[in-house]
Amino acid sequence: MPNDFLSFFLSWMSAPRRVGAIAPSGAALADLITREITATTGPVLELGPGTGAFTYKLIKRGVRQQDLTLIEYGSDFMKLLQMRFPGARVLWMDAGRITTERLYDGAPVGAVVSGLPLLNMSTRKVVSIIGGAFRYVRPGGAFYQFTYGMSCPVPRPVLDRLGLRAKLMDRALLNVPPAAVYKLTRRPQMKIVTGSPQASTPVTPELMHPERGYIAAP
Ligand SMILES: C[S@@+](CC[C@H](N)C(=O)[O-])C[C@H]1O[C@@H](n2cnc3c(N)ncnc32)[C@H](O)[C@@H]1O
């Protein structure tokens, strides 16, 4: 891993809210956020890769560059990523637009790894990014997000609205500053049978009316 501290710091000076950190993530955090990803995960979507701290680790874990899509909004970082990972698809775009761009045919993605500073974004944008990313995630796939905050950076109403659950994987106390990684997955669907078999509809438990058993508007 090259030492990117200075270039990262200069980027942060010019756009502190977008960059969201004064230094690239360290090895402990890169290890943790990629811990469950292997050569068999398939396509991986990385949001806000910066200088590639997580990207290097993903490749080390066996993800092929051809299976990597990197979405980065900073033009300086984007050029660096193109140079460092010539086999990956590097897109210079706002991750908030993944809902409108068609990044994949269908939903082949096994994992989304995000270094985006979600706490600096509006709720609306967080919904577009996470909801948009899950459109490409295959059943059983997950979205990994780190935060410097004390709790999950995706608020509970957003998780409810998107039918997701979040689990704290662990904390990387050796990172500067210490960080935590959350794993977001789809809530299990269950079938509600109301009368005839045709009326059976898969819903997430959170969308059920507690007494009447129908689906509340999300
Ligand atoms: C906290 S840094 C993390 C960088 C890298 N993943 C790491 O851990 O070292 C956040 C990154 O997200 C990028 N970013 C912020 N907002 C973005 C957006 N809307 N779309 C795409 N990238 C964004 C920043 O340019 C920066 O590279």
Side-chain angles (χ1 to χ4, degrees), residues 18-19 21 24-25 48-50 53-54 72-73 77 93-95 115-117 121:
R18 170 177 61 78
V19 175
S25 296
F54 302 155
E72 176 52 61
Y73 203 25
F77 289 149
M93 63 178 263
D94 180 347
L116 294 173
M121 296 178 180

Side-chain angles (χ1 to χ4, degrees), residues 94-165:
D94 180 347
R97 282 182 40 228
I98 51 179
T99 28
T100 47
E101 302 293 325
R102 190 165 160 206
L103 297 185
Y104 300 91
D105 286 332
V109 170
V112 182
V113 174
S114 168
L116 294 173
L118 294 186
L119 295 177
N120 295 348
M121 296 178 180
S122 66
T123 303
R124 192 191 172 99
K125 189 154 187 167
V126 172
V127 169
S128 331
I129 292 171
I130 298 178
F134 266 97
R135 281 165 64 172
Y136 303 120
V137 173
R138 67 172 180 239
F143 185 115
Y144 301 91
Q145 173 71 46
F146 88 84
T147 181
Y148 300 127
M150 293 308 290
S151 55
C152 181
V154 185
R156 176 73 203 214
V158 172
L159 294 170
D160 288 347
R161 179 167 164 188
L162 297 174
L164 302 174
R165 60 183 174 188

